[in-house]
């Protein structure tokens, strides 16, 4: 836990008077209290207020920070300014708040050094500064570390389970699609048998070739029957390929019984049961 008494002492106002053209303007610096607990790895804000009082209608003062809050255990990672002004009883009270964004990158006792600011004027720059602020940066508790570790492990396990489930679903969907394609191909193949006696011989053989090409594409990713046969992938297809070539290159008509034998050969090679 942070030493609150130290913070209160370190947050006390540092006041002084400065001659800023052409009248006397009262300038003060005040650092707000830090968070009660700061843990290594935290980012936190340190707010410094530079306030001045002058007669109403005076222009705002230019306040320039001339130092950083970097120190052992603390790194300054950002700085922004916020401005406000209030007029009361003929007096103008203006405030410039410097908000330092800091990173606690080490544990132990830490002191933010005095932060310096400069107010330019015709009579010479006015220098103001904060007090040194001391506090303690705590190590992360084991509970927090175990909680973070547990969340990480749970995330990894959950991610793995989701990946396995997705892979299983994808595999099942692929199997279902292949099964559907097989069923459609088998139906088309069996319907072809019924056309043996009536269809033109050449047209019938070319339709059978299309079915065989679709079957090869589904299983081997290619419908080039000749190349697949040369590679040894399609064993026993030689006679079918001869029939297909005969039909493509204008060979004579085949009798119905010859086409039926060709159909039986194709049914065996494609592992499709005959529709007797």
């Amino acid at each position: 836990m942070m030493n609150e008494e130290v913070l209160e002492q370190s947050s006390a106002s540092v006041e002084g008077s400065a001659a800023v053209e052409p009248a006397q303007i009262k300038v003060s610096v005040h650092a707000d209290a830090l968070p009660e607990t700061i843990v290594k790895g935290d980012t936190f804000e340190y707010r410094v207020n530079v306030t001045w009082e002058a007669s109403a209608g005076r222009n705002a003062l230019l306040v320039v920070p001339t130092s950083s809050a970097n120190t052992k255990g603390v790194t300054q990672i950002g700085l922004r300014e916020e401005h406000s002004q209030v007029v009361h009883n003929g007096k103008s009270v203006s405030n410039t708040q410097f908000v330092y964004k800091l990173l606690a990158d080490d544990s132990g006792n830490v002191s933010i050094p005095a932060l310096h600011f400069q107010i330019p004027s015709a009579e010479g720059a006015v220098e103001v500064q904060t007090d040194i602020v001391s506090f303690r940066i705590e190590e992360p508790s084991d509970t927090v570390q175990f909680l973070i570790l547990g969340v990480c492990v749970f995330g990894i396990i959950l991610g793995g389970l989701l990946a396995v489930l997705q892979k299983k679903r994808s595999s099942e969907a692929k199997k279902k699609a292949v099964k559907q394609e097989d069923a459609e191909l088998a139906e088309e193949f069996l319907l072809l048998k019924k056309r043996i006696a009536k269809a033109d011989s050449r047209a019938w053989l070319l339709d059978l070739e299309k079915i065989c090409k679709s079957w090869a594409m589904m299983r081997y990713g290619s419908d080039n029957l000749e190349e697949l046969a040369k590679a040894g992938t399609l064993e026993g297809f030689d006679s079918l390929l001869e029939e297909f070539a005969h039909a493509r290159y204008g060979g004579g008509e085949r009798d119905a019984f010859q086409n039926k034998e060709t159909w039986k050969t194709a049914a065996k090679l494609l592992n499709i049961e005959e529709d007797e």
Side-chain angles (χ1 to χ4, degrees):
M1 295 293 293
M2 186 177 301
N3 188 322
E4 294 182 4
E5 182 178 354
V6 171
L7 279 178
E8 290 175 358
Q9 294 174 355
S10 301
S11 301
S13 297
V14 180
E15 297 187 355
S17 296
V20 181
E21 59 173 18
Q24 293 290 318
I25 297 179
K26 184 179 180 182
V27 180
S28 65
V29 180
H30 172 78
D32 291 349
L34 292 170
E36 292 185 2
T37 302
I38 299 176
V39 178
K40 180 180 177 181
D42 283 353
T43 56
F44 61 99
E45 292 185 345
Y46 178 48
R47 295 174 177 264
V48 177
N49 300 278
V50 180
T51 305
W52 61 94
E53 181 180 313
S55 58
R58 285 191 56 82
N59 293 330
L61 299 182
L62 173 64
V63 183
V64 181
T66 58
S67 62
S68 75
N70 289 325
T71 187
K72 179 176 171 54
V74 173
T75 300
Q76 179 179 320
I77 58 177
L79 173 62
R80 70 177 190 274
E81 297 180 24
E82 298 175 358
H83 303 276
S84 63
Q85 185 178 43
V86 177
V87 178
H88 182 67
N89 293 331
K91 293 289 184 180
S92 174
V93 179
S94 300
N95 182 78
T96 297
Q97 185 176 75
F98 296 90
V99 184
Y100 292 81
K101 188 173 183 180
L102 306 178
L103 169 66
D105 51 21
D106 199 1
S107 59
N109 295 321
V110 177
S111 293
I112 297 178
L115 300 178
H116 297 262
F117 302 88
Q118 189 177 89
I119 303 173
S121 75
E123 300 178 9
V126 177
E127 302 282 348
V128 293
Q129 67 180 53
T130 65
D131 289 335
I132 297 173
V133 176
S134 298
F135 60 100
R136 183 171 181 79
I137 299 175
E138 305 290 346
E139 283 284 353
S141 67
D142 291 340
T143 301
V144 174
Q145 290 179 335
F146 284 130
L147 179 61
I148 294 174
L149 179 61
V151 171
C152 291
V153 171
F154 176 75
I156 292 172
I157 293 174
L158 180 60
L161 290 175
L162 290 175
V164 170
L165 182 60
Q166 180 64 27
K167 186 176 181 180
K168 183 179 179 181
R169 288 177 176 174
S170 178
S171 178
E172 290 176 351
K174 186 175 181 179
K175 288 180 180 178
K176 185 176 180 181
V178 171
K179 187 176 181 180
Q180 178 65 25
E181 289 176 350
D182 282 343
E184 292 175 356
L185 189 68
E187 182 179 0
E188 187 177 353
F189 185 79
L190 294 173
L191 288 174
L192 192 62
K193 182 181 180 182
K194 298 179 180 180
R195 296 173 48 213
I196 291 176
K198 299 178 181 180
D200 175 79
S201 174
R202 292 183 61 251
W204 185 91
L205 284 170
L206 293 177
D207 286 343
L208 178 60
E209 183 183 31
K210 290 180 182 178
I211 294 175
C212 291
K213 285 186 174 184
S214 297
W215 175 88
M217 178 61 75
M218 289 167 53
R219 280 157 180 76
Y220 306 114
S222 172
D223 62 357
N224 192 325
L225 301 179
E226 289 79 6
E227 290 296 329
L228 291 172
K230 288 180 181 178
T233 303
L234 301 180
E235 295 184 3
F237 270 73
D238 292 343
S239 61
L240 278 181
L241 296 179
E242 290 177 2
E243 290 296 316
F244 298 154
H246 173 83
R248 282 201 309 275
Y249 299 118
E253 290 288 326
R254 292 286 195 247
D255 292 331
F257 79 89
Q258 289 177 299
N259 285 343
K260 185 172 183 180
E261 291 301 316
T262 301
W263 186 92
K264 288 181 178 180
T265 299
K268 182 179 180 181
L269 293 172
L270 274 58
N271 195 28
I272 297 176
E273 295 182 1
E274 294 189 45
D275 185 20
E276 295 292 350

